[in-house]
Amino acid sequence: MVRDYTIKSLLQEGTEILNEGDFKTPLLDAQLILCYTLGVDKLYIYTHRDDKVSDEAVDKFFEFINRRKEGYPIQYIIQKQEFMGLNFNVAEGVLVPRPDTEILVEKVIEIVNNSFLKDKKRVNIVDIGTGSGAITLSLAYYLKNAFVYSIDISKKALEIASENCKKFELEDRVLFLEGNLFKPLSTLNVENNIDIIVSNPPYIPTDEIEKLQIEVSKYEPRIALDGGKDGLDYYRKIVKDLSKYLANHGVVAFEIGYNQGQDVKKLLENSGLFRKIEIIKDLAGHDRVVVGENLCL
């Protein structure tokens, strides 16, 4: 292997290696990996293209490139992902935040800002399935009167989410709770006092997981993906306990799979808790979010 690499030649070779695989953005991936390896930003690699790179950095770069070539998620390599304008730490064992989930967060923010909740001193929100904290912390960041009870069964997820919470200085408005679904709330005396319940639960049908792209099927945590035989197990469990925790003006907002809109809407209809149930589509025109509202607007 040639040892006398410049930033330009290293980026070129890394991109060529990723071009051999089935990647949509090999150049961008190589750029991100090089920036992470060198501890610089993208502007630096463009303005220092002829700078020599140390042998140690070259070895590290190709190690990361080859991991990426195997399908290892780019976010786990560079240990971050942007979401709602915030830079989240991510790590193996924690679901990577997706742009589609921003639709869920944006809808909740819109509901609060367009209802009497905007004037409440404290809007109580429960987020089931913390992950990296993307939903929890985005809501706490953009809704200054929000207090979020954030629940996850994974210690690793709560560890990463706590790091992000400290980074965004939101510790006074978020409480992380370890456990399954609503169980951690049982000792907190919050029955019928939650304004909004939000969740991006596992919703991939069990038999479909192996058919997903390798980044997801092989490397992301199965516990955050597997929604049971039809993908609806967690929606059923959550809806069953909504009446115990939601205030009488409460809202529930779910992220869903592209073909689950009508099924999840029916679950909410059957609960009898909501005046309005809405299915929201993503930019590709697929069902992405289901919201049930009982607000006095």
Side-chain angles (χ1 to χ4, degrees), residues 127-154:
D127 176 18
I128 297 178
T130 305
S132 64
I135 295 172
T136 288
L137 300 174
S138 296
L139 291 174
Y141 186 88
Y142 290 109
L143 295 172
K144 301 308 181 187
N145 61 344
F147 186 92
V148 188
Y149 300 92
S150 191
I151 302 168
D152 206 295
I153 202 167
S154 164

Side-chain angles (χ1 to χ4, degrees), residues 138-173:
S138 296
L139 291 174
Y141 186 88
Y142 290 109
L143 295 172
K144 301 308 181 187
N145 61 344
F147 186 92
V148 188
Y149 300 92
S150 191
I151 302 168
D152 206 295
I153 202 167
S154 164
K155 279 182 168 57
K156 180 66 174 179
L158 292 172
E159 176 187 315
I160 295 297
S162 295
E163 288 178 9
N164 287 319
C165 189
K166 289 175 186 172
K167 180 162 70 169
F168 304 141
E169 300 181 347
L170 294 168
E171 299 101 311
D172 60 335
R173 292 195 291 114

Side-chain angles (χ1 to χ4, degrees), residues 274-288:
F274 305 102
R275 299 178 185 180
K276 175 185 174 185
I277 300 171
E278 182 182 5
I279 299 174
I280 300 163
K281 295 185 182 296
D282 60 23
L283 293 176
H286 299 134
D287 293 349
R288 183 55 57 193

Side-chain angles (χ1 to χ4, degrees), residues 25-239:
T25 56
L27 174 59
L28 177 60
D29 287 2
Q31 288 172 338
L32 291 171
I33 291 171
L34 185 54
C35 288
Y36 177 71
T37 302
L38 299 179
V40 300
D41 59 20
K42 202 181 290 187
L43 178 61
Y44 184 94
I45 65 173
Y46 279 118
T47 55
H48 294 75
R49 294 164 66 86
D50 297 323
D51 285 11
K52 298 285 180 61
V53 181
S54 71
D55 288 354
E56 182 183 4
V58 168
D59 289 341
K60 192 175 177 186
F61 174 76
F62 282 118
E63 179 186 339
F64 290 145
I65 284 289
N66 287 321
R67 288 222 73 188
R68 179 64 185 134
K69 186 181 176 183
E70 294 167 0
Y72 195 67
I74 183 72
Q75 295 89 349
Y76 290 167
I77 294 173
I78 66 174
Q79 300 181 42
K80 63 183 179 181
Q81 172 65 28
E82 189 272 336
F83 182 87
M84 290 294 296
L86 301 171
N87 201 13
F88 283 82
N89 297 348
V90 294
E92 188 170 347
V94 179
L95 193 70
V96 175
R98 263 78 169 178
D100 283 339
T101 305
E102 294 184 348
I103 298 169
L104 175 67
V105 174
E106 288 165 354
K107 182 61 180 179
V108 173
I109 292 171
E110 175 191 316
I111 288 170
V112 172
N113 288 336
N114 291 330
S115 73
F116 72 91
L117 291 176
K118 69 182 175 184
D119 297 320
K120 280 192 72 175
K121 187 174 181 181
R122 170 166 154 162
V123 175
N124 289 319
I125 299 174
V126 168
D127 176 18
I128 297 178
T130 305
S132 64
I135 295 172
T136 288
L137 300 174
S138 296
L139 291 174
Y141 186 88
Y142 290 109
L143 295 172
K144 301 308 181 187
N145 61 344
F147 186 92
V148 188
Y149 300 92
S150 191
I151 302 168
D152 206 295
I153 202 167
S154 164
K155 279 182 168 57
K156 180 66 174 179
L158 292 172
E159 176 187 315
I160 295 297
S162 295
E163 288 178 9
N164 287 319
C165 189
K166 289 175 186 172
K167 180 162 70 169
F168 304 141
E169 300 181 347
L170 294 168
E171 299 101 311
D172 60 335
R173 292 195 291 114
V174 175
L175 178 63
F176 292 110
L177 300 164
E178 183 183 346
N180 190 32
L181 301 175
F182 291 105
K183 192 172 182 182
L185 296 178
S186 60
T187 60
L188 296 181
N189 194 29
V190 294
E191 286 83 358
N192 300 123
N193 196 33
I194 301 300
D195 300 298
I196 299 171
I197 293 172
V198 62
S199 184
N200 176 20
Y203 60 69
I204 308 298
T206 304
D207 292 343
E208 297 293 318
I209 292 174
E210 296 306 320
K211 301 173 188 176
L212 300 173
Q213 63 263 45
I214 192 169
E215 290 100 323
V216 181
S217 62
K218 186 175 179 180
Y219 295 107
E220 294 204 57
R222 194 178 184 98
I223 194 172
L225 301 170
D226 193 341
K229 186 175 181 181
D230 62 358
L232 300 173
D233 282 4
Y234 287 93
Y235 299 108
R236 294 188 187 97
K237 291 173 183 177
I238 293 170
V239 170

